[in-house]
Amino acid sequence: MTDSFEARGLREKLIESIRQKGIADEEVLRAMKKVPRHIFMDPAFLHHAYVDKAFPIASGQTISQPYTVAFQTSLLNVKKRDKVLEIGTGSGYQAAILAEMGVRVYTIERCRELFLKAQQTIATLGYNIHFFYGDGFEGKEQYGPFDGILITAAAPEIPPALLKQLKTGGRLVVPLGKGDYQVMTVAVRTGEETWEYSSHGTFVFVPLLRGTQDK
Ligand code: SAH
């Protein structure tokens, strides 16, 4: 099962509620209406997939709240054919939203189980996404520079390697903070050695961790 009439109806309502919460980027909303979020979760949780909440996936991780996905994707400000690096593939849902928007997606996951599962899920939807198993702190220099970098886990600081892998004019979106919540931060590369930073409210993410995990 990939999608159904019932799921489409639930999704339509969810996306309208996200619009009400202030997301105005029509391309983001269109992509979120198209991608069936429930297939990124356990099939028993159809209704949970279409409420605006984060939800547990494997390896003690979570699929981000739909509003958060919409917010981070809007902040990235991408256009078709842009090259984006995501740190923290998780379920693969965020990567699918970007792919649906015509973005060339490179995504890194440190948990082997999630890395494998996300690829299976994406295969059923047919998106062309580049998956990597590894530590996102280092980025993927050989595929850069990127128009956008999206970190979907809480970072204690912005990994310096990632700032260097942005194109000039490129944007990095990251929930930044060491404590119980993080400040959504955008870094725009303005020159060879210069970046401009802005803050966009507080969120709660699972932590960005060093190294890889075999399970
Ligand atoms: N974007 C995901 C949600 C991710 S939750 C989705 O759409 O479902 C955060 C993910 O980041 C987790 O899967 C976690 O394992 C991963 N992660 C944490 N630290 C990482 C690192 N250093 N490199 C790569 N992935 C990391």
Side-chain angles (χ1 to χ4, degrees):
M1 179 197 67
T2 52
D3 208 1
S4 66
F5 185 73
E6 186 188 13
R8 275 198 294 277
L10 292 168
R11 200 153 64 240
E12 190 90 12
K13 278 199 188 130
L14 169 66
I15 303 315
E16 281 316 308
S17 79
I18 287 172
R19 186 198 296 280
Q20 296 303 318
K21 290 177 186 170
I23 301 295
D25 187 325
E26 287 302 327
E27 188 48 20
V28 171
L29 295 168
R30 183 198 64 75
M32 290 185 71
K33 264 188 200 173
K34 183 88 182 286
V35 176
R37 185 170 184 259
H38 64 279
I39 75 156
F40 294 85
M41 294 166 41
D42 191 302
F45 296 114
L46 175 66
H47 284 264
H48 291 269
Y50 297 112
V51 291
D52 194 16
K53 286 201 171 133
F55 201 78
I57 50 175
S59 300
Q61 301 303 316
T62 56
I63 179 172
S64 301
Q65 181 180 344
Y67 175 79
T68 305
V69 171
F71 192 76
Q72 284 201 293
T73 312
S74 302
L75 285 177
L76 257 188
N77 211 4
V78 281
K79 51 186 189 311
K80 263 198 169 73
R81 303 290 304 149
D82 274 359
K83 199 155 64 163
V84 168
L85 177 66
E86 180 194 26
I87 311 299
T89 311
S91 68
Y93 177 69
Q94 170 72 73
I97 297 298
L98 289 167
E100 174 60 35
M101 292 170 72
V103 165
R104 289 178 288 161
V105 185
Y106 297 77
T107 182
I108 310 177
E109 173 56 54
R110 69 178 291 279
C111 289
R112 189 159 197 94
E113 187 182 357
L114 292 171
F115 159 75
L116 295 171
K117 195 163 176 212
Q119 287 175 81
Q120 285 176 359
T121 311
I122 291 295
T124 68
L125 295 174
Y127 294 118
N128 181 19
I129 290 172
H130 306 273
F131 292 92
F132 302 92
Y133 171 58
D135 182 351
F137 271 92
E138 302 310 321
K140 274 281 161 229
E141 198 179 2
Q142 63 272 47
Y143 295 94
F146 298 96
D147 299 286
I149 298 180
L150 177 55
I151 303 179
T152 65
E157 72 206 348
I158 308 181
L162 298 183
L163 286 171
K164 291 264 164 65
Q165 289 172 30
L166 278 179
K167 287 183 189 169
T168 302
R171 297 162 72 82
L172 180 148
V173 177
V174 55
L176 208 54
K178 299 185 170 97
D180 294 343
Y181 63 88
Q182 298 83 42
V183 175
M184 193 64 78
T185 305
V186 177
V188 180
R189 188 167 197 176
T190 51
E192 190 48 37
E193 292 295 335
T194 49
W195 292 265
E196 255 169 30
Y197 301 89
S198 55
S199 302
H200 304 268
T202 56
F203 292 80
V204 178
F205 282 78
V206 295
L208 190 67
L209 300 171
R210 299 220 176 238
T212 54
Q213 184 179 319
D214 209 27
K215 237 195 77 61

